[in-house]
């Protein structure tokens, strides 16, 4: 019997972590300690943990300061970089790292329209979170043991429904709240189940054509059209209030490189993913508080 790949997954209690454990936990031996069990800011603890556990792969999904309603804090850079380099420092204790990067590395203060991997470093991100991811990407350029996945708009269950657009709108409709948006724009949205399938490919395949990959669908979709699809799936009729008539900055990516790597990549249809997400939120609807939905996109 083939030995299971052993993985240290950081951020195991977060959005990505919970979905990865749920969908891949039977296939791989996944260690997903929470911050109390493994403080990634503690250099010695991280080193000794990896020395003891002898994992094959580190999937670094942990990050602080990602909430949209959280004020910019320069400390985000220090804490996130320290976690990253504490893992890097122990690289002799494992074979590979898969780092979950972000489209924010391209600088979200500018419009990112069908952005390519070759466009990286044409601008330095101005926000702390984007700058942290940018610095890690610069290190990864010279690190042979790291595969760097740049995620765009990933959505699904366990995300922060208070501030994440698709979950936020679903919950508002289910709770009978008004559907309001500050400004419309175009995003590249990827269902988290599809992301985990893509991640599984990179777990299984050590030798890939490239180091950096944009992770998305490669399709632009407006936020307002997603609202209409949610209302359609729920068979609801509601007015959508958009405060500003002009479009906000686009956030979409080119995935030619990913398609070249994963020849038979398949994505879940939008309506199907929305239906699955709606079913999930219906199971926890009694736990939701209307006062939590003050954030406006």
């Amino acid at each position: 019997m083939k030995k299971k790949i052993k993985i240290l997954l950081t951020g195991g209690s977060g959005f990505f972590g919970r979905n990865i454990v749920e969908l891949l936990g039977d296939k791989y031996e996944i260690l997903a300690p929470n911050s109390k069990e493994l403080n990634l800011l503690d250099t010695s603890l991280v080193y000794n943990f990896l020395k003891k556990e002898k994992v094959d792969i580190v999937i670094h999904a942990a990050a602080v300061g990602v909430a949209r309603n959280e004020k910019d804090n320069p400390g985000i850079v220090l804490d996130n970089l320290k976690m990253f380099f504490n893992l890097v420092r122990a690289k002799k204790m494992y074979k590979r790292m898969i780092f979950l990067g972000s489209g924010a590395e391209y600088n979200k203060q500018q419009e990112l329209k069908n952005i390519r991997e070759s466009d990286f470093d044409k601008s330095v991100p101005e926000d702390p979170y984007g700058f942290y991811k940018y610095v890690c990407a610069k290190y990864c350029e010279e690190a042979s043991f790291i595969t760097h996945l740049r995620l765009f708009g990933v959505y699904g269950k366990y995300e922060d429904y208070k501030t994440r657009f698709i979950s936020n709108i679903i919950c508002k409709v289910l709770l009978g709240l008004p559907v309001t948006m500050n400004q419309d724009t175009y995003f590249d949205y990827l269902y988290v189940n599809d992301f985990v399938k893509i991640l599984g490919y990179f777990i299984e395949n050590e030798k890939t054509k490239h180091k950096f990959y944009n992770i998305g669908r490669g399709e632009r979709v407006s936020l307002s059209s997603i609202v209409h699809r949610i209302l359609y799936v729920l068979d609801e009729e509601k007015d959508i209030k958009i405060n500003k008539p002009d479009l906000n900055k686009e956030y979409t990516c080119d995935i030619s490189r990913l398609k070249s790597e994963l020849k038979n990549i398949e994505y879940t249809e939008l309506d199907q993913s929305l239906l699955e997400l709606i079913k999930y939120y219906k199971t926890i609807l009694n736990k939701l508080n209307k006062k939590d939905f003050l954030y406006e996109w």
Side-chain angles (χ1 to χ4, degrees), residues 27-155:
K27 188 173 184 180
Y28 305 111
E29 182 183 352
I30 300 178
L31 306 179
N34 58 40
S35 57
K36 292 182 179 179
E37 295 167 328
L38 178 62
N39 182 1
L40 295 174
L41 293 171
D42 191 312
T43 302
S44 297
L45 279 180
V46 173
Y47 188 89
N48 291 332
F49 181 92
L50 286 165
K51 184 178 181 180
K52 175 186 176 183
E53 295 296 342
K54 297 179 174 60
V55 301
D56 299 300
I57 300 174
V58 172
I59 299 176
H60 188 31
V64 296
V66 297
R68 284 183 168 84
N69 58 351
E70 185 172 324
K71 293 181 179 180
D72 283 348
N73 177 4
I76 290 170
V77 177
L78 177 61
D79 287 348
N80 281 305
L81 286 180
K82 191 169 184 179
M83 290 192 294
F84 174 74
F85 283 106
N86 279 343
L87 292 166
V88 166
R89 176 176 174 270
K91 62 185 178 182
K92 291 182 180 180
M93 304 303 168
Y94 56 93
K95 298 175 184 176
R96 293 190 290 139
M97 177 189 285
I98 298 174
F99 180 72
L100 303 192
S102 168
E105 297 166 31
Y106 295 110
N107 190 9
K108 287 183 69 175
Q109 279 64 47
Q110 300 181 357
E111 185 164 66
L112 304 180
K113 188 174 182 179
N114 205 32
I115 200 86
R116 293 175 176 268
E117 291 87 352
S118 57
D119 293 320
F120 175 69
D121 206 17
K122 290 185 176 179
S123 177
V124 177
E126 298 172 25
D127 65 291
Y129 180 75
F131 182 69
Y132 142 65
K133 292 289 189 181
Y134 167 86
V135 172
C136 293
K138 293 299 290 181
Y139 176 86
C140 291
E141 285 179 333
E142 306 300 326
S144 61
F145 66 99
I146 301 178
T147 300
H148 190 113
L149 307 180
R150 290 195 179 113
L151 279 60
F152 278 69
V154 184
Y155 67 96

Side-chain angles (χ1 to χ4, degrees), residues 225-236:
S225 69
I226 291 176
V227 176
H228 286 295
R229 296 316 300 171
I230 291 171
L231 293 173
Y232 172 79
V233 173
L234 280 168
D235 194 23
E236 291 270 359

